[in-house]
Amino acid sequence: MLAEPSASLRSVRAPWVPRPRTEHAPAPRRPYFRRLLPLLAALACLTRVPSFRWPLWSPDEGYLAVQARMLADGGTLYETVVDRKPPLVPWLYEGAFALCGDASLLPLKLLAVAAQLATAVLLTCVARRRWGDGAGRTAGVLYLLISVGLNPEDVQAATFEVFMLPCTAAALWCADRRRWALAGAAVACAFLAKQTGGATLVPVAWLLWRSGGSRRDLLRLGVGLCGPVLAAAAVTDPAGFLFWTVTGSGAYASFTGSELHVLVRGLTNTAILAAACAGIIPPVVRVLRVARTGSAELWLWLASSAGAVLAGFHFFGHYYLQLTPPLALLGTAALQILPRERTLTAVSVTAGACVLFLAWGMLAPRPELAHAERIADEVRSRTTPRERVLLWGIHPETYWLADRDPASRYLTAGLLTNYSGGRNGPQVGEKYAVQGAWPVFRAELAAAPPALIVDDSRDKPFAPERVPSLRRVLAAGYTPVATVDGAVIYSRTYSRPASG
């Protein structure tokens, strides 16, 4: 009878299967965050340095800044101040302007740094609770490194997604601790920052089901979710809130028109984010082949976020920011199963990619911003502070740069023609505008004709020759007086009222 093989021989012959590292959360006396928080704060500031280089980074920032000024002047959200977005970020801009003045976006840029830091800290807490101290550090650092892994215009702007992400991370943090009312409230806040933030409800609901939650827990989640949303609707206007955030964007969300253009954009942004995540994608793929991470809710979070990116079929780069928190946690989960040295490699590769994206942000020119600034200078020189102007284009930041009030609640031609981001197919024109917009627009111009109309269409599909109503307005009372970088400036043909 053969002898039993020795233990050492069995260990040599047995296939090695990587297993999670066993690290335990430290005792409360150890200053974990006292040491980690300065590192994360420094990294959050470093990754946002390019955001301070320019006055603003995107038309969304300009739109929010103009909205905030209109609200401060007595405007009503979803009535005389409109956009296809929930109210949380416009209110944030309004509050920052009330405290610090509206001449600079610096307070919002600082708040964006704080939002990124808060997201990193929450992800650190989730990872630390699951896999230990080292995993917590890895998750926080990885998130901040990949958070800038897109076109700088998309990641450095202080806009909707940046302020939505802390709420999505908070939702998972609360659900992980079975604090269902708070989890629901966090999902609600994510939705109120941007509608797609509501996708975080999917992993939260999964965690509730997996934990064997009772009907009372489900009720707590529902109350936490519905309470803030209903309160926001009541504070603004319930019908307007529903229309502008949910039901009024059918044509905008349609896939018809410029399909190839938006598909190329989607594939390009996917490739850019994949390059930023080059350090964590290989570990995740390898772990999928040899072991399970035991983190189904993280995959659900990633899948629901991907669905949110797909919603509307526009594939703008900033949409992809919603993928970064679950990607950071999935990368961390995979690295806990692989040998320890793989963590250093993954972080190093991701840091190298981050440096390249930061260099892109610091060195890339901003021709559209320069164009908007030149138009703003011309508008300012031809009008008084009390006169209103109409900018017919997709760069509402010009209102803010010129310090002039808009002549209409519709701050871009997109709301009146359905033009957006190069979608120049058959669904661009007056009949594809937001429902009921043109009668209101005509009434606004008739009641208070703007001193100047700036046609900044530059041969795009919403040019006046393709918009009969605007063409008639120009023909009836305006004459061209200047051209700036292809933008035509029209002045009223009759005398301007004296300024008081």
Side-chain angles (χ1 to χ4, degrees), residues 200-225:
T200 316
L201 183 61
V202 174
V204 169
W206 165 264
L207 285 171
L208 174 62
W209 176 80
R210 195 185 68 178
S211 67
S214 63
R215 291 183 179 179
R216 180 172 296 182
D217 292 330
L218 182 61
L219 179 62
R220 290 193 182 102
L221 177 64
V223 170
L225 174 64

Side-chain angles (χ1 to χ4, degrees), residues 203-256:
V204 169
W206 165 264
L207 285 171
L208 174 62
W209 176 80
R210 195 185 68 178
S211 67
S214 63
R215 291 183 179 179
R216 180 172 296 182
D217 292 330
L218 182 61
L219 179 62
R220 290 193 182 102
L221 177 64
V223 170
L225 174 64
C226 297
V229 175
L230 294 176
V235 168
T236 55
D237 171 65
F241 176 89
L242 180 63
F243 176 81
W244 284 101
T245 62
V246 181
T247 64
S249 301
Y252 177 80
S254 171
F255 188 59
T256 304

Side-chain angles (χ1 to χ4, degrees), residues 270-271 273-288 327 331 334 338 342 346 350:
T270 300
L273 183 58
C277 298
I280 61 176
I281 291 177
V284 170
V285 172
R286 182 175 180 182
V287 165
L288 283 177
L327 282 172
L338 295 173
R342 291 298 298 272
T350 308

Side-chain angles (χ1 to χ4, degrees), residues 45-127:
C45 292
L46 178 63
T47 54
R48 300 293 300 180
V49 163
S51 71
F52 296 92
R53 183 167 182 243
W54 303 103
L56 47 77
W57 271 93
S58 75
D60 283 348
E61 282 183 318
Y63 203 116
L64 286 162
V66 177
Q67 278 188 306
R69 281 181 172 174
M70 295 169 71
L71 291 171
D73 289 340
T76 303
L77 198 57
Y78 305 128
E79 180 57 36
T80 59
V81 181
V82 298
D83 192 15
R84 293 185 175 103
K85 295 294 191 297
L88 192 59
V89 182
W91 285 340
L92 183 65
Y93 267 66
E94 182 187 9
F97 282 2
L99 291 174
C100 306
D102 63 4
S104 170
L105 295 186
L106 178 60
L108 282 308
K109 297 175 187 291
L110 295 174
L111 286 174
V113 175
Q116 290 292 72
L117 176 59
T119 306
V121 169
L122 288 164
L123 296 178
T124 295
C125 292
V126 172

Side-chain angles (χ1 to χ4, degrees), residues 18-22 131 292 336-337:
R19 299 185 182 281
R21 296 203 292 264
T22 55
W131 307 299
R292 294 183 179 181
Q336 304 319 299
I337 295 175

Side-chain angles (χ1 to χ4, degrees), residues 34-48:
R34 191 185 305 170
R35 296 176 180 176
L36 180 59
L37 194 57
L39 170 64
L40 294 179
L43 192 54
C45 292
L46 178 63
T47 54
R48 300 293 300 180

